[in-house]
Amino acid sequence: MTYLVGIDLGTTNTVLAFAHDGKGAIELFSVDQLVAPGEVAGAPLLPSMRYHPGADELAPGELQLPWHALDVAGVERVALGRLARALGAATPGRLVASAKSWLSHTGVDRMAPILPWGAEGDVAKVSPVAASASYLAHLRAAWNTRFPKQPLERQQIVLTVPASFDEGARALTLEAAKQAGLPDVRLLEEPQAALYDWLYRHRADLAQDLGDARLVLVADVGGGTTDFSLVKVEARDGEPLLTRIGVGNHLILGGDNMDLALAHLVEARMAEQAGEDATRSRLSSARLAQLTERCRAAKEQLLADDAPDHVTVTLLGAGSRLIGASRKADLRRADIERIVLDGFFPLNAAQEDAKRARAGIVEFGLPYASDPAITRHLAGFLRQHAAAAREALGLPDDGALPVPDTVLLNGGVFRGAALAQRLVDTLAAWRGAPMRVLHNDNPDIAVARGAVAYTLARQGLAPAIESGAARSYYLLLDGEAQGDKLRTVCLLPRGTPAALEVALADRSFALRVGRPVRFHLVSTIADSGAPPQAGDLVDLDPSEVVRLPAIATVLRAARGAPSETPVRLVTTLSEVGTLDVHCVAEDGGQRWQLAFQLRGEDDSDTQEEVLPLELDAAVDKIERVFGARSKQVDPKEVKQLRAGLEHLLGARERWTTPLLRRLFDALLARAKGRRRSVEHERAWLNLAGYCLRPGFGHPLDEWRMEQLWAMFEGGVQHHKDSQVRAEWWTLWRRVAGGLSTASQLRVLDDFAFNLQADESERGRRPVTLVDGSEEDMLRVGASLERIPSAYKAEIGEWLLGQIEGIPSGGKLDARASARYGRYLWALGRVGARQSFQSSAHEVAPPEVAESWLVKLLQLDWRKVEPAGFAAAHIARMTGDRSRDIGQAVREDVLRRLAASGAPPMWTAMVREVVELDQAVETRLLGDALPPGLKLLH
């Protein structure tokens, strides 16, 4: 017997529904889970939460499940589901929540162990992918225990995702399923699933129940995301024909944001009742997470039909002061109306679009939507799809906002009747007529049931929705900018059915085999009118596209094959719901699949590669110096290579990233030539580091870094030359942002040896370990942002030990001033709150940063100006309280900056969340970035 299975991997809850193969009703699977220590019970909702208990917190038997635990996340002792939620509400800092929101957060490495966000160092951590996998693995174990002869991995499984998930987030969702032992799943968009559920429940009288509806809006507001979809309804042979015609952009906005807003209010009230300054007594990130969970429960009570006037929210103390240090504050119905209703669902009579703030909201490390008003995001969504909506509704193009006539509300947020009614009222006011509301009997389970209904529809046993690709996909063309538009060629038009192979028949590409190749892809939901055809040239507005992870690789071919092969691009919306891109040789022979890069996202703004005509001449100069040995050149010509390149290409500060990378590729191909002489090695190291800085930001930089890193263990040829040694370490400092954690730790070994080895150890130095001056080492060590925070704390303490030697009186001479300035610069970089070249979780711990600031405050910042610069970066405001320092220390830093006459930008970055100006950024990095390149701000 085969089961049809639907899984809703939700931000808040995970749900499994199933049906016998085309027979019987759709049922909910009761998931066995821990509901109390040692107590197992079944429930249809598995809270998407993990709790990582302390060593002595729970006995082994208290975590026992009816099956052998499946450890897919590398943490042996863990509670999932209802027990995790209960324990997390009582004990801060050990709860993993909202993993689904992290899957779409490109500012962090989603495969790295970063959750619980902001937890102490002794708490085991998991990646967003592994956390998601653990919920699916729990479902699999529970199912296989109940149905041992029909294991879950052998059933037809549909796994739902937000319609707005990009290719990276979809691929990571599939990776989570694979890690859970479910390698064969199909993806379905959640708004569609919710509508499938309604269609299935009304299949007997569908034409009557839909009535004269022409356009259905599915508004899905869950715990972590807001998703909009439009479905056109047409009559065909007396039956409704449904076609999905539009989806919205990704929004990290939902019930979590509402709970967080309420938690901020309660936090301030608790401080007020205790007679404290709310800004100076902010809760830690872990304690705020605990309070947020309690506010969620209070919100649900206050949104119920029989809601009380208020609910008292209690936050227990910690440790021995568990009861005595507890705090309480009331949350009132009026608060819900003011914050949740008016803040998240304003009536928006003017039909305004979402407001763009200078910096988005960051909490628990997640970049929430900067405008919380869901109705403003909805107005913008309808405006994006105005042409298709008017066509569906039969309306003229009169400039008015076309509003659907029918709405289906889904997501846990709409369990609150007041919130559901507010959105319906808003749409009715915009439309000037009542809305038809499709009743959703249970928003918590509709998506899982709808996933099963979708499979039944594919078998012809239930009503179906025609959909295909939710957005159009385009390839950016190099060097063909059209004003402020992006010049592209369409790869896959919106609406293309799944499994249909689309070839760009009239477009031929020269594929470089055995050498780095890259493709920049973008997608858009905002096609005006009919979607383009595959192969059409289209100019796109940069503000309306989503840049996908780069497709970058080195493709292999048979030995003896030509270096360039004419190919055609072929794309497919796969059966599982992701985009597949292939290069197919025109002769019908070889075929290469191109994969998206999911770990290191392309962090640069997409630049058109308009390369100077003099590039070939520049490469000829590099060839003359570093190429074949038969071309002997005078040492003076080697020394003047950089000046010669600047004569051809202009000042190197203006060399764009595409040009820099082409020059690096030329240098890399001739790397053996650097060993010919001292002058050759100096010039090669200097140019190579400059052209590849900061080690990322352009397609195939990961591959370039792999080739460069292979040279590290060999060291330099002319190791006795001080300038060669300095250029060696300058190169690695410049490209450190592209090194992996393992590689940075290897560099750290040489850093520590050069700074700390005694005379006897130095006598045994291997010749390949390049000596480095104190200045070189400080700059290199401070650039290793991916090393664990414990190492950063150790480096910082060592730096402080040197800094504390600054004389308290008198004026420093130039030499001492420069030396201490280097230490302070390095400390500012090591302790910076905002990571420049790595994931946000890799900064030094805030309590350590505060201790450094206390010591820096003892210096005279007028006499030692770099102390203020370092303090400004260590105290920089990020908006994420798991990284930010406490308010009391912040105010001390602000007072000292003002008293020392520090530049306004230093003060601004400590007081509020701001982007750095170029001067401050360049000083911190030690180099100007290539034009147009953006770091991880």
Side-chain angles (χ1 to χ4, degrees), residues 101-179:
S101 295
W102 288 91
L103 287 180
S104 60
H105 181 10
T106 57
V108 299
D109 182 350
R110 292 160 285 182
M111 303 283 278
I114 60 176
L115 303 178
W117 185 257
E120 299 293 334
D122 63 341
V123 178
K125 292 189 175 183
V126 297
S127 71
V129 171
S132 301
S134 68
Y135 309 140
L136 296 173
H138 185 100
L139 289 185
R140 178 183 168 216
W143 174 283
N144 291 353
T145 300
R146 192 169 311 167
F147 302 116
K149 295 183 179 180
Q150 291 86 29
L152 186 61
E153 56 270 28
R154 296 183 188 171
Q155 312 311 308
Q156 294 187 49
I157 303 173
V158 172
L159 181 61
T160 63
V161 293
S164 53
F165 257 19
D166 67 10
E167 290 308 302
R170 289 173 186 244
L172 290 167
T173 303
L174 291 173
E175 174 62 24
K178 182 179 178 181
Q179 289 184 16

Side-chain angles (χ1 to χ4, degrees), residues 400-466:
L401 184 72
V403 182
D405 52 26
T406 306
V407 63
L408 173 68
L409 304 179
N410 190 65
V413 163
F414 292 122
R415 286 199 309 268
L419 303 183
Q421 191 58 51
R422 173 59 68 89
L423 187 58
V424 172
D425 290 345
T426 300
L427 287 165
W430 290 353
R431 184 168 178 255
M435 293 290 296
R436 178 192 296 271
V437 180
L438 305 183
H439 177 61
N440 187 344
D441 67 338
N442 194 331
D444 282 329
I445 62 175
V447 166
R449 292 189 314 202
V452 179
Y454 164 76
T455 305
L456 290 169
R458 284 174 53 85
Q459 296 178 353
L461 301 174
I465 304 169
E466 293 187 3

Side-chain angles (χ1 to χ4, degrees), residues 90-349:
T91 305
R94 293 185 173 275
L95 183 69
V96 176
S98 302
K100 181 177 176 179
S101 295
W102 288 91
L103 287 180
S104 60
H105 181 10
T106 57
V108 299
D109 182 350
R110 292 160 285 182
M111 303 283 278
I114 60 176
L115 303 178
W117 185 257
E120 299 293 334
D122 63 341
V123 178
K125 292 189 175 183
V126 297
S127 71
V129 171
S132 301
S134 68
Y135 309 140
L136 296 173
H138 185 100
L139 289 185
R140 178 183 168 216
W143 174 283
N144 291 353
T145 300
R146 192 169 311 167
F147 302 116
K149 295 183 179 180
Q150 291 86 29
L152 186 61
E153 56 270 28
R154 296 183 188 171
Q155 312 311 308
Q156 294 187 49
I157 303 173
V158 172
L159 181 61
T160 63
V161 293
S164 53
F165 257 19
D166 67 10
E167 290 308 302
R170 289 173 186 244
L172 290 167
T173 303
L174 291 173
E175 174 62 24
K178 182 179 178 181
Q179 289 184 16
L182 303 174
D184 187 17
V185 301
R186 178 188 296 271
L187 300 183
L188 175 67
E189 297 160 9
E190 289 162 5
Q192 271 202 82
L195 186 53
Y196 265 110
D197 175 59
W198 186 90
L199 294 172
Y200 185 76
R201 290 186 289 108
H202 293 79
R203 62 192 183 280
D205 301 298
L206 190 57
Q208 177 182 333
D209 291 346
L210 271 178
D212 56 358
R214 291 189 173 189
L215 185 62
V216 179
L217 165 70
V218 183
D220 189 349
V221 184
T225 56
T226 289
D227 238 344
F228 301 123
S229 288
L230 288 174
V231 178
K232 179 171 68 172
V233 184
E234 301 172 281
R236 178 181 294 178
D237 299 327
E239 291 296 322
L241 173 68
L242 288 86
T243 307
R244 195 275 318 281
I245 61 171
V247 300
N249 287 321
H250 189 65
L251 291 172
I252 303 183
L253 177 62
D256 288 353
N257 303 73
M258 300 172 195
D259 303 337
L260 180 60
L262 295 172
H264 284 155
L265 173 67
V266 173
E267 178 187 27
R269 284 182 179 164
M270 287 177 172
E272 182 181 354
Q273 291 173 10
E276 300 171 348
D277 181 346
T279 62
R280 297 176 65 88
S281 60
R282 282 164 41 109
L283 297 172
S284 67
S285 181
R287 296 275 282 162
L288 180 66
Q290 183 185 19
L291 180 60
T292 301
E293 176 61 23
R294 293 180 179 273
C295 286
R296 178 195 61 78
K299 177 195 70 178
E300 292 177 357
Q301 285 183 261
L302 292 167
L303 283 170
D305 292 334
D306 56 348
D309 289 333
H310 69 274
V311 172
T312 299
V313 178
T314 302
L315 186 64
L316 296 177
S320 61
R321 305 182 66 209
L322 187 65
I323 304 300
S326 65
R327 295 184 171 194
K328 297 181 180 180
D330 285 345
L331 199 57
R332 310 178 187 104
R333 264 192 303 183
D335 298 328
I336 300 296
E337 183 168 336
R338 175 173 57 87
I339 293 178
V340 178
L341 271 178
D342 294 337
F344 288 84
F345 292 96
L347 288 169
N348 192 14

